[in-house]
Amino acid sequence: MKIKTILIFIAMLFIFTGCAQTKTPDVFDTRDIMNFLLEKNAEYVSSDKNSADVSKEKRTDTAENGQSPYAVIVTCSDSRVPPEHIFQAGIGELFVVRTAGNIIGHFELGSIEYGVEHLGATLIVVLGHTQCGAVEAALSGEAHGHIKAIVDEIISCLPKNCTKEQAERLNVQNSIDRIRASEIIKELESLDKVEIKGAIYNIATGEVEFLD
Ligand SMILES: [Zn+2]
């Protein structure tokens, strides 16, 4: 009787552990990764919780065996734009680069190169968002201190009299263009080993829309 109880407990533990494991996308298939991110984003929109793996076991595993993130997410520092929640991602899944306005300079470019060249991520997503303060500052032309450097970078890609929505998208495209200035990434992209996609996160609905 006692042995039977132990066996049932072990079986239940196995089933529970199996269910708790996160299915991760095929890192060599960027379409699969995009679909996975969209699926996880839909979960985020319809749920109040993040179901991702942030367990002690996952911490131990990634500390001992290293990281293999499937995507690099370049996004804004805005506290309403939390990438790991938006995509229901746990430890070791996303390599995240954040600056106000998701702009790209040398440090950010080096970080992205590391994420794809050394860690093996194959999809780079530049994730802009609605109601971005940096984009709004660029449209109003008002900034001081080091913030001005950020705003000037965004202004450089905007035509006169563009709407806020257009500015958000053009700023994402500008960051993609900056990323393509990297010889390392340009070569990986030409070999179909890396894909760069733009997207907009709606801070009110929680939805991510990929741009074409
Ligand atoms: Zn922003």
Side-chain angles (χ1 to χ4, degrees):
M1 186 66 179
K2 203 173 179 182
I3 292 171
K4 192 180 172 188
T5 308
I6 291 168
L7 285 173
I8 289 170
F9 175 75
I10 290 171
M12 286 179 71
L13 190 67
F14 179 77
I15 290 165
F16 176 76
T17 309
C19 289
Q21 281 176 351
T22 311
K23 171 202 162 287
T24 51
D26 178 357
V27 76
F28 298 110
D29 185 342
T30 50
R31 176 59 55 181
D32 191 31
I33 299 169
M34 273 179 63
N35 287 337
F36 182 78
L37 291 174
L38 285 169
E39 196 182 299
K40 288 290 169 183
N41 177 241
E43 271 180 37
Y44 164 73
V45 170
S46 62
S47 166
D48 293 333
K49 296 190 178 84
N50 187 344
S51 61
D53 190 350
V54 290
S55 64
K56 183 174 177 241
E57 289 73 21
K58 191 69 179 178
R59 281 203 304 275
T60 305
D61 176 42
T62 49
E64 290 177 356
N65 302 310
Q67 55 174 322
S68 302
Y70 46 78
V72 173
I73 307 291
V74 180
T75 193
C76 184
S77 304
D78 194 307
S79 61
R80 299 166 295 180
V81 187
E84 280 87 353
H85 293 312
I86 292 168
F87 296 117
Q88 301 274 289
I91 297 165
E93 293 188 49
L94 300 177
F95 191 80
V96 178
V97 179
R98 297 181 74 166
T99 55
N102 44 266
I103 61 162
I104 304 293
H106 290 295
F107 296 138
E108 292 74 30
L109 208 47
S111 302
I112 298 165
E113 287 176 355
Y114 185 79
V116 295
E117 191 182 39
H118 292 269
L119 301 180
T122 52
L123 179 67
I124 300 166
V125 180
V126 177
L127 183 66
H129 69 99
T130 58
Q131 294 175 242
C132 180
V135 172
E136 286 170 4
L139 287 170
S140 71
E142 290 170 13
H144 63 281
H146 289 84
I147 302 169
K148 191 172 183 305
I150 295 170
V151 170
D152 285 348
E153 166 65 8
I154 300 174
I155 288 173
S156 73
C157 75
L158 302 183
K160 280 184 182 171
N161 303 320
C162 71
T163 66
K164 200 161 72 171
E165 190 183 55
Q166 286 170 331
E168 286 159 1
R169 286 159 194 255
L170 287 168
N171 184 45
V172 166
Q173 186 56 52
N174 185 50
S175 294
I176 292 173
D177 294 342
R178 297 284 189 214
I179 292 169
R180 286 200 171 116
S182 156
E183 291 297 327
I184 290 170
I185 295 169
K186 202 160 60 182
E187 190 184 349
L188 288 170
E189 198 181 19
S190 71
L191 297 169
D192 288 331
K193 290 185 174 175
V194 160
E195 192 169 350
I196 310 171
K197 299 295 287 185
I200 295 286
Y201 172 68
N202 186 314
I203 65 164
T205 66
E207 289 171 356
V208 170
E209 177 197 353
F210 277 96
L211 308 174
D212 286 319

